[in-house]
Amino acid sequence: MTSPADGNGAAMCRMIAAVGRFELGALKTALKTMALNRNTAYDHELRDRGADLLHDCGWGAAFLADEGLSTVRSVRPCFEDPDFDNLDCRGADLAVLHARRNRDRSTISIANTHPFTVSRGRTKLAFFHNGEVRDLRQLRHCSEHEPRRTTDSERLFLHLLSGCDDPLSARSLEAELSGVRDFTSLNCLLVDGRGLLGYAGMASATERPRYYTLWRGTGPGLRIVSSEMVEGFDVEWGALPDGQSFRFAYPATTRRGHTDPREY
C-alpha cells in the first residue's frame, strides 16, 4: 500500500469481499463505514482516532460474473464519490471493494489504487492488499510483468506471480507468503476466473492485532471476507486464523441449484 519511503505504518486499508448472493448496497455501506472509521459493530486499536483515521486515498472494486472479471478504480474517497454510490455489479456473484489510506498524500494516484491487475494467459487477475511490506529487497521480480509504480502492494503481487502455481492455488499462495518477513500485514484478496483467493497474515508482534485481523462471515448462500466485522449481512463472523489461505469458488453454479459457494 505504500512506497518504500513511507514506512512507520503510514499505509493501511479496509476491504470487504462477498461471494454468492449479496446486496451491493450493503457492501458499499460497509466499506464507507469502515473507511470513515465509524464502525460501531467492531472495535480496534485505532478506533479512538475517529476522523483522523480516514481511509480516503482512493477506492477500487472488482466483480466476477459469467462475462468475466471487471474492475474500477478512483482516486476520490469512497464516501465522497458519486461514482462509488452509483456503482453497479448486475449479474456478478463475486465482489471486492477496497479503500486505501496513506499519510503521504503524494502517493494518491490511479496507479497506486487497488486492485492491481495483470493478465496471465487468458486469465485476468485482480489483487488487493492491506498492510505494509517494509523490506522490498526480499520480494522477487516477475519476468513477465514490470511494476507500474513502486508500491509494496504491487511488488508483493508480482512476487506472488513469480512463484505461485498457474493456475493459482491456496496452497502455493500460502507457501509464498509464509516466507515474507518484516511486515505489518499480508492480508490479501485475489480474484481470478475461478473465484476468490485470499490469505490472512499479520505480524505476530503487531501492536494492532484487531486492526489487522481478517474476518470471515458465513451465511446461507453467502461468504464474506472483511477487514472488520460489519452489520447488514445474515452471517456468523469468525476470525480467519493467522497464516491461513483460503479459496471460495466462483459460484455461478449457485443459480443452477447449489446452495453455497464452495470453500476449500
Side-chain angles (χ1 to χ4, degrees):
M1 269 174 302
T2 135
S3 64
D6 294 335
N8 299 318
M12 48 191 73
C13 301
R14 301 286 83 180
M15 55 188 181
I16 185 167
V19 183
R21 298 189 293 272
F22 59 85
E23 294 293 334
L24 181 60
L27 291 176
K28 291 192 290 185
T29 296
L31 186 72
K32 286 197 283 187
T33 301
M34 291 189 288
L36 286 163
N37 198 24
R38 294 179 183 172
N39 181 14
T40 58
Y42 182 74
D43 191 32
H44 58 63
E45 297 84 359
L46 301 174
R47 182 69 69 218
D48 60 359
R49 291 176 57 180
D52 290 333
L53 192 80
L54 298 180
H55 298 76
D56 59 353
C57 298
W59 64 270
F63 304 110
L64 190 60
D66 288 342
E67 296 77 19
L69 173 65
S70 60
T71 60
V72 59
R73 299 185 293 174
S74 170
V75 297
R76 298 185 63 182
C78 64
F79 47 82
E80 294 180 354
D81 193 345
D83 288 341
F84 185 77
D85 292 332
N86 296 328
L87 195 62
D88 189 16
C89 66
R90 204 164 303 166
D93 293 302
L94 186 157
V96 184
L97 306 180
H98 183 280
R100 181 175 181 263
R101 170 181 166 82
N102 196 300
R103 287 202 303 263
D104 184 353
R105 312 298 289 186
S106 69
T107 68
I108 299 176
S109 69
I110 283 292
N112 288 337
T113 304
H114 304 220
F116 300 99
T117 60
V118 302
S119 292
R120 205 179 196 193
R122 296 183 177 181
T123 302
K124 184 178 179 181
L125 308 173
F127 179 81
F128 302 82
H129 173 223
N130 170 33
E132 179 183 1
V133 181
R134 299 189 180 99
D135 183 3
L136 299 186
R137 294 172 298 178
Q138 65 184 310
L139 301 181
R140 293 186 302 271
H141 291 277
C142 180
S143 60
E144 300 175 9
H145 305 281
E146 288 294 327
R148 298 180 180 90
R149 302 290 283 179
T150 57
T151 64
D152 67 303
S153 294
E154 185 181 25
R155 286 286 308 277
L156 180 63
F157 181 29
L158 298 182
H159 172 84
L160 292 175
L161 292 180
S162 71
C164 283
D165 299 335
D166 187 8
L168 295 167
S169 68
R171 178 177 297 179
S172 63
L173 182 71
E174 188 172 315
E176 290 299 320
L177 289 175
S178 65
V180 177
R181 300 290 182 266
D182 194 11
F183 59 87
T184 59
S185 169
L186 297 177
N187 291 341
C188 60
L189 300 173
L190 194 151
V191 184
D192 61 11
R194 297 188 296 156
L196 180 71
L197 186 65
Y199 181 81
M202 63 179 174
S204 59
T206 183
E207 297 177 354
R208 301 165 180 169
R210 286 187 63 80
Y211 181 84
Y212 287 117
T213 295
L214 200 58
W215 294 85
R216 171 173 53 201
T218 303
L222 178 64
R223 298 293 182 271
I224 301 282
V225 179
S226 179
S227 298
E228 302 176 17
M229 291 185 287
V230 291
E231 296 178 335
F233 303 96
D234 181 19
V235 297
E236 293 186 4
W237 291 101
L240 282 159
D242 194 24
Q244 178 176 300
S245 61
F246 56 89
R247 176 181 280 282
F248 299 128
Y250 174 49
T253 52
T254 299
R255 296 192 297 269
R256 306 183 190 114
H258 289 268
T259 302
D260 292 306
R262 291 175 56 206
E263 179 178 349
Y264 55 95

